Amino acid sequence: MKKYNIIDVLSHIGKEIELYGWVDTVRDHRKIVFVDLRDRTGIVQVVGGEDFKTLSCEDVVYIKGLVKKRPDKLVNPKLATGTVEVETKSLKIITKAQPLPIPISSNGYDVNEESRLKYRYLDIRRPRMLRNLILKSQSTLFIRNYLSKLDFIEVETPILTKTTPEGARDFLVPSRLQKGNFYALPQSPQQYKQLLMVGGIERYFQFARCFRDEDPRKDRAYGEFTQLDLEMSFIEQNDILTLIENMFTKLVAILFPEKFISQSPWPRLSHSDTKKKYGTDKPDLRKDKNNPNELAFSWTIDFPLFTEQSDEDFFHGSGKAKFAPSHHMFTAPHPDDIPLLNTDPLKVRGLQHDLVLNGFEVGGGSIRIHQSKVQNKVFDLIGFTAEQKKQFDHMLEAFSYGVPPHGGIAPGIDRFLMVALGEPSIREVIAFPASSGGKISVMDAPTPATNEQLNELGIRVIV
Ligand code: ASP
């Protein structure tokens, strides 16, 4: 294992050091050659002789050398290691690199995105991408520690599962053992996290991979994304809002110290007021939209439980109902509005909460229905047939064995990072996102299945 990182040169002035890394640049000054050597901790100038002339950019090398302080007038203020350089004693070329198909010295915004995704393993060598992945890792670690200290239990839920009612199109996976049947990849672990509350877990979270077959947008990746999925029992809506507000406030202070939250406590705005005032339920409340460091969080609450069903609400299937859930079918109605379920469903408020940041919805959740009667009524109102209701029998049965009142939320970690890092697209914070058309360019997926695989699954492809 390598012993030193490039940044360690700063603590090795006057001493020998062994470094491994990539050749970032080569500057040939005839008798001496300067190489900028790069690893994930930084860049240092290395000075070599004749043997350095064979080096090309992105070669992987080993260098043993003496770390020397640079004279004041040769200090490079642009480099963290700019006060020193390494005088080479020995050089080994570990692997040669051919010229790269995409430039990686710029921030990359100017490079064609298809090419960046095809050569993503090169694209993530650029410092901006590395920073994004590091901050993502630090953010999840922070959240994991924060929630664990508050007695949350991290629980995994299945990826091969059944259709879930988040409202998007499912990805299906054929079953070999039960030919003709399909798993659906979860659009979210919504039902599982509610079942965990029935199971007495009380405080659950996981970094959940969610799969939705929807068209990509700049704030929505195609195919899959990561949510911080969270659920709690014996709570009220205010408990969820307060927990998330405290957690993200601390996360921003620790991991994004250059950013500031423009208003605390975060405004809580009713859906109808927000729509009236800003024309949207995800208002951009920044005081100065030119200020890249301002984070304006807010909550949108008091959503109507239902919207009028449109033709696009394909997931209900029956096509006869007038109502579609604004959030999803497990969101609880406001207790004061329960009688309106029978008389004027569109007037019923739901206990839904959306987390908004700089005009983007970065999370949504709700207090859930925990009474089978109310759940049944909602199923009826959204036009479920007896057959469709049957698909949720396990939920109603589970609720018959002692269900605690519960609720939760699922902030989108990629989307939060996109906004906090000021990135123009969610793909900038995902290591290997799908490109438009749903292609994972590096692997060239999806690919056709072999006849053997299809036969085993009992599937015939008609295209
Ligand atoms: N499952 C919901 C979603 O993915 C979030 C929640 O209600 O907690 O939007």
Side-chain angles (χ1 to χ4, degrees):
M1 186 159 55
K2 75 173 195 174
K3 205 161 159 197
Y4 300 109
N5 290 317
I6 280 176
I7 201 71
D8 295 328
V9 291
L10 292 174
S11 56
H12 279 72
I13 299 173
K15 291 189 200 139
E16 263 193 7
I17 193 163
E18 291 185 300
L19 297 174
Y20 291 87
W22 283 261
V23 172
D24 198 68
T25 52
V26 186
R27 294 180 299 280
D28 189 344
H29 287 218
R30 300 238 185 128
K31 285 238 161 62
I32 49 172
V33 179
F34 292 99
V35 157
D36 279 347
L37 186 69
R38 186 188 76 234
D39 73 5
R40 63 179 207 171
T41 67
I43 284 182
V44 68
Q45 175 165 288
V46 178
V47 190
E50 284 294 311
D51 51 344
F52 269 46
K53 288 190 190 283
T54 56
L55 291 176
S56 348
C57 287
E58 302 304 312
D59 287 351
V60 174
V61 298
Y62 158 87
I63 278 166
K64 189 158 130 186
L66 181 66
V67 183
K68 286 178 130 180
K69 215 169 160 28
R70 295 200 210 181
D72 280 352
K73 59 181 193 315
L74 293 180
V75 164
N76 179 355
K78 286 196 200 125
L79 285 186
T81 65
T83 51
V84 302
E85 62 186 10
V86 178
E87 191 184 280
T88 306
K89 302 278 179 220
S90 127
L91 161 76
K92 264 189 220 138
I93 300 175
I94 299 172
T95 49
K96 289 290 295 173
Q98 52 167 329
L100 301 194
I102 53 163
I104 61 166
S105 50
S106 69
N107 57 22
Y109 295 125
D110 52 338
V111 182
N112 170 281
E113 201 186 16
E114 289 293 324
S115 310
R116 287 183 58 204
L117 293 177
K118 178 161 165 39
Y119 295 104
R120 193 54 146 193
Y121 49 88
L122 300 177
D123 193 55
I124 57 183
R125 285 188 192 170
R126 65 180 92 247
R128 177 176 65 88
M129 292 303 288
L130 182 63
R131 173 206 63 180
N132 290 0
L133 294 179
I134 290 173
L135 271 164
K136 187 165 171 174
S137 164
Q138 290 173 338
S139 300
T140 49
L141 181 63
F142 173 88
I143 291 170
R144 185 169 268 134
N145 287 334
Y146 190 92
L147 293 176
S148 300
K149 277 202 197 104
L150 293 175
D151 295 330
F152 279 78
I153 303 175
E154 189 170 2
V155 185
E156 284 181 334
T157 52
I159 294 294
L160 292 177
T161 182
K162 198 166 158 177
T163 186
T164 50
E166 248 71 38
R169 198 175 285 104
D170 283 324
F171 282 99
L172 296 179
V173 180
S175 159
R176 178 178 61 85
L177 297 177
Q178 295 172 48
K179 284 200 183 47
N181 287 326
F182 293 81
Y183 302 97
L185 303 182
Q187 294 185 29
S188 89
Q190 183 62 36
Q191 294 179 68
Y192 286 112
K193 67 173 169 176
Q194 293 194 238
L195 293 174
L196 286 169
M197 296 303 107
V198 179
I201 292 295
E202 293 196 26
R203 290 177 169 212
Y204 140 92
F205 81 99
Q206 77 171 307
F207 292 98
R209 201 57 82 78
C210 303
F211 302 87
R212 298 181 191 181
D213 188 357
E214 323 177 273
D215 294 332
R217 294 188 312 223
K218 70 176 177 168
D219 63 342
R220 190 159 76 190
Y222 172 73
E224 54 187 295
F225 61 94
T226 307
Q227 274 184 172
L228 162 63
D229 197 44
L230 186 148
E231 196 77 6
M232 291 189 275
S233 296
F234 308 113
I235 42 114
E236 285 163 7
Q237 189 174 47
N238 180 48
D239 298 309
I240 303 171
L241 308 197
T242 307
L243 169 85
I244 295 294
E245 180 164 343
N246 290 345
M247 185 177 75
F248 276 100
T249 300
K250 200 153 178 210
L251 187 153
V252 168
I254 291 176
L255 295 178
F256 299 88
E258 70 287 3
K259 308 267 164 187
F260 66 94
I261 294 174
S262 47
Q263 217 179 319
S264 288
W266 303 351
R268 295 181 184 184
L269 308 167
S270 84
H271 179 261
S272 61
D273 287 354
T274 323
K275 283 283 242 193
K276 258 186 239 135
K277 200 160 164 198
Y278 305 101
T280 168
D281 53 15
K282 24 182 188 292
D284 185 347
L285 298 182
R286 280 178 295 174
K287 296 194 176 105
D288 176 0
K289 300 209 172 58
N290 296 317
N291 181 341
N293 287 331
E294 182 174 359
L295 295 177
F297 286 98
S298 63
W299 290 105
T300 306
I301 51 173
D302 289 338
F303 282 76
L305 187 65
F306 300 108
T307 58
E308 264 175 293
Q309 173 134 267
S310 69
D311 292 342
E312 279 115 61
D313 293 316
F314 62 88
F315 71 98
H316 302 142
S318 81
K320 288 195 198 92
K322 275 171 62 191
F323 310 110
S326 308
H327 182 220
H328 54 57
M329 59 188 78
F330 304 118
T331 294
H334 194 291
D336 297 348
D337 296 350
I338 289 186
L340 290 172
L341 284 172
N342 292 318
T343 54
D344 199 350
L346 287 175
K347 288 241 164 71
V348 177
R349 288 163 298 164
L351 293 179
Q352 175 185 347
H353 35 259
D354 273 9
L355 173 59
V356 179
L357 172 60
N358 294 5
F360 289 91
E361 183 197 322
V362 293
S366 60
I367 296 294
R368 323 300 181 187
I369 299 169
H370 64 277
Q371 309 91 332
S372 304
K373 235 173 102 187
V374 178
Q375 188 66 70
N376 240 313
K377 180 75 197 167
V378 168
F379 285 163
D380 286 339
L381 285 167
I382 62 180
F384 266 10
T385 58
E387 195 50 39
Q388 285 170 315
K389 272 193 198 175
K390 250 180 100 173
Q391 294 215 7
F392 297 95
D393 271 358
H394 56 277
M395 292 294 279
L396 297 183
E397 186 183 358
F399 284 8
S400 72
Y401 300 128
V403 53
H406 59 284
I409 189 168
I413 293 300
D414 299 326
R415 207 179 273 182
F416 163 74
L417 286 168
M418 175 191 93
V419 181
L421 288 161
E423 288 291 7
S425 146
I426 199 165
R427 291 184 291 280
E428 302 294 339
V429 300
I430 301 175
F432 295 105
S435 64
S436 56
K439 212 168 121 176
I440 308 291
S441 303
V442 172
M443 299 280 175
D444 216 8
T447 48
T450 63
N451 280 337
E452 219 178 355
Q453 287 171 318
L454 292 173
N455 285 341
E456 213 170 31
L457 296 165
I459 286 182
R460 190 166 341 117
V461 177
I462 310 166
V463 272

